[in-house]
């Protein structure tokens, strides 16, 4: 029993630092969500229930407007499907990491969100930490904080009277922070570069409103076709060689004083 407690504590300590950037964003976004719900006449209990049962982040913000208009189940279904279709690709990408996890997989699937996927996909547990508990605590911390901050936002919502337009932009800023941290930590940055290129191409072809799903399809195809080389690090080695060659050939002449 003591050994299991030590194992769980070690996994929690290993997972917690990776959640810190998300915690900063979730605190603001969760409270903002509770505030927005209160402005539409929904009390803190509704905010808490939506965050614990639905738990779909951006779709929760969209659902606020769906709750105050005439109920259209077909529209709500397709809206939720389009907004959360990216989770199909998240699940495919995490098949390898979640393999053999057992009963905890059901919790990890239910608690999966954009930020949890970014952390889980970008970082591996330390060698002395069991992967399933490492991923479990990453998911649990994000889930619990989102629900708690939504409740807090609902409780204090009636006291806040500022314009909430554009408040959800912090979600974009949060993804930028996660991407930068992943860029610094991961040695093989080729998948990140491929993701940026696919996103740019998709924006040019489909516009900023409909680029996410096509970009993910392109990214999935490219990563699947190049999986072997990416795992062996061949692309990363070629890029490193080119950078080294450029550094060798590039000569920076010292500035001379003008006479």
């Amino acid at each position: 029993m003591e050994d299991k407690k030590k194992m769980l504590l070690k996994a929690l300590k290993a997972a917690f630092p990776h959640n810190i950037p998300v915690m900063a964003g979730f605190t603001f976004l969760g409270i903002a969500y509770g505030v927005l719900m209160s402005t539409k006449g929904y009390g803190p209990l509704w905010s808490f229930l939506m965050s614990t049962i639905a738990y779909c982040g951006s779709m929760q913000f969209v659902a606020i407007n769906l709750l105050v208009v005439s109920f259209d189940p077909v529209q709500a279904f397709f809206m939720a499907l389009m907004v959360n279709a990216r989770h199909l690709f998240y699940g495919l990408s995490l098949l390898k990491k979640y393999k053999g996890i057992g009963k905890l997989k059901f919790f990890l699937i239910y608690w999966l969100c954009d930020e949890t996927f970014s952390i889980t996909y970008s970082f591996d547990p330390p060698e002395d930490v069991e992967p399933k508990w490492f991923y479990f605590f990453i998911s649990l911390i994000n889930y619990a904080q989102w629900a708690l901050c939504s409740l807090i936002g609902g409780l204090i919502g009636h006291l806040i009277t500022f314009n909430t337009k554009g408040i959800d932009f912090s979600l974009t800023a949060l993804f930028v922070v996660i991407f930068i941290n992943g860029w610094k930590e991961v040695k093989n940055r080729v998948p990140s570069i491929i993701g940026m290129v696919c996103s740019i191409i998709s924006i040019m072809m489909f516009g900023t409103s409909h680029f996410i799903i096509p970009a993910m399809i392109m990214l999935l195809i490219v990563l699947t076709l190049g999986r072997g080389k990416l795992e062996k690090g061949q692309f990363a080695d070629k890029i490193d060689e080119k950078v080294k060659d450029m550094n060798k050939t590039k000569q920076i002449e010292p500035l001379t004083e003008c006479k």
Side-chain angles (χ1 to χ4, degrees):
M1 189 68 178
E2 291 295 328
D3 292 338
K4 187 173 183 179
K5 287 183 178 179
K6 290 181 180 179
M7 178 186 66
L8 294 177
L9 183 60
K10 186 180 291 185
L12 177 60
K13 289 181 178 179
F16 185 78
H18 298 296
N19 287 88
I20 292 177
V22 176
M23 292 175 68
F26 266 22
T27 299
F28 182 78
L29 282 172
I31 293 175
Y33 173 72
V35 171
L36 289 174
M37 284 285 284
S38 66
T39 61
K40 301 298 183 180
Y42 291 92
L45 180 60
W46 286 103
S47 300
F48 181 74
L49 290 175
M50 282 286 289
S51 294
T52 53
I53 298 174
Y55 188 55
C56 49
S58 56
M59 184 58 205
Q60 286 183 230
F61 283 92
V62 176
I64 294 176
N65 293 325
L66 297 178
L67 291 172
V68 297
V69 298
S70 56
F71 181 61
D72 186 348
V74 177
Q75 179 187 3
F77 172 79
F78 282 105
M79 180 69 72
L81 182 63
M82 289 193 319
V83 172
N84 293 314
R86 62 193 183 281
H87 284 255
L88 295 172
F89 302 98
Y90 293 170
L92 291 172
S93 302
L94 293 175
L95 284 175
K96 186 177 180 180
K97 290 204 170 191
Y98 285 177
K99 185 178 181 180
I101 284 182
K103 294 180 180 179
L104 289 179
K105 184 182 292 186
F106 296 102
F107 295 99
L108 298 180
I109 293 172
Y110 186 72
W111 292 341
L112 185 63
C113 64
D114 299 328
E115 294 77 12
T116 300
F117 169 78
S118 299
I119 299 173
T120 304
Y121 187 78
S122 301
F123 301 101
D124 293 317
E127 294 181 358
D128 58 341
V129 173
E130 197 168 349
K132 67 178 182 179
W133 293 113
F134 176 76
Y135 300 135
F136 174 83
F137 281 116
I138 285 177
S139 303
L140 176 61
I141 291 171
N142 287 340
Y143 175 76
Q145 190 196 3
W146 177 258
L148 178 62
C149 291
S150 298
L151 178 62
I152 294 172
L155 290 172
I156 65 176
H158 66 283
L159 300 176
I160 299 177
T161 58
F162 63 91
N163 187 1
T164 58
K165 184 178 181 180
I167 201 171
D168 55 344
F169 178 75
S170 56
L171 188 64
T172 304
L174 176 61
F175 281 121
V176 173
V177 173
I178 294 174
F179 177 81
I180 292 174
N181 286 338
W183 182 272
K184 291 180 179 179
E185 294 288 338
V186 180
K187 183 178 179 181
N188 187 1
R189 298 169 178 170
V190 176
S192 300
I193 296 173
I194 293 174
M196 289 189 290
V197 173
C198 290
S199 299
I200 292 171
I201 294 173
S202 184
I203 289 174
M204 295 174 63
M205 294 178 64
F206 302 99
T208 56
S209 299
H210 306 92
F211 81 97
I212 295 179
I213 294 178
M216 288 184 174
I217 293 174
M218 284 191 287
L219 180 60
L220 180 64
I221 293 173
V222 174
L223 292 180
T224 301
L225 294 176
R227 180 179 176 183
K229 292 184 178 180
L230 286 171
E231 289 181 347
K232 294 178 182 179
Q234 293 180 6
F235 289 148
D237 293 340
K238 288 181 180 180
I239 292 176
D240 290 339
E241 290 177 2
K242 289 184 179 180
V243 172
K244 289 179 181 178
D245 292 339
M246 290 174 64
N247 291 334
K248 288 180 181 179
T249 56
K250 185 177 180 181
Q251 299 293 332
I252 302 177
E253 296 181 357
L255 295 174
T256 57
E257 293 184 359
C258 297
K259 295 184 179 180

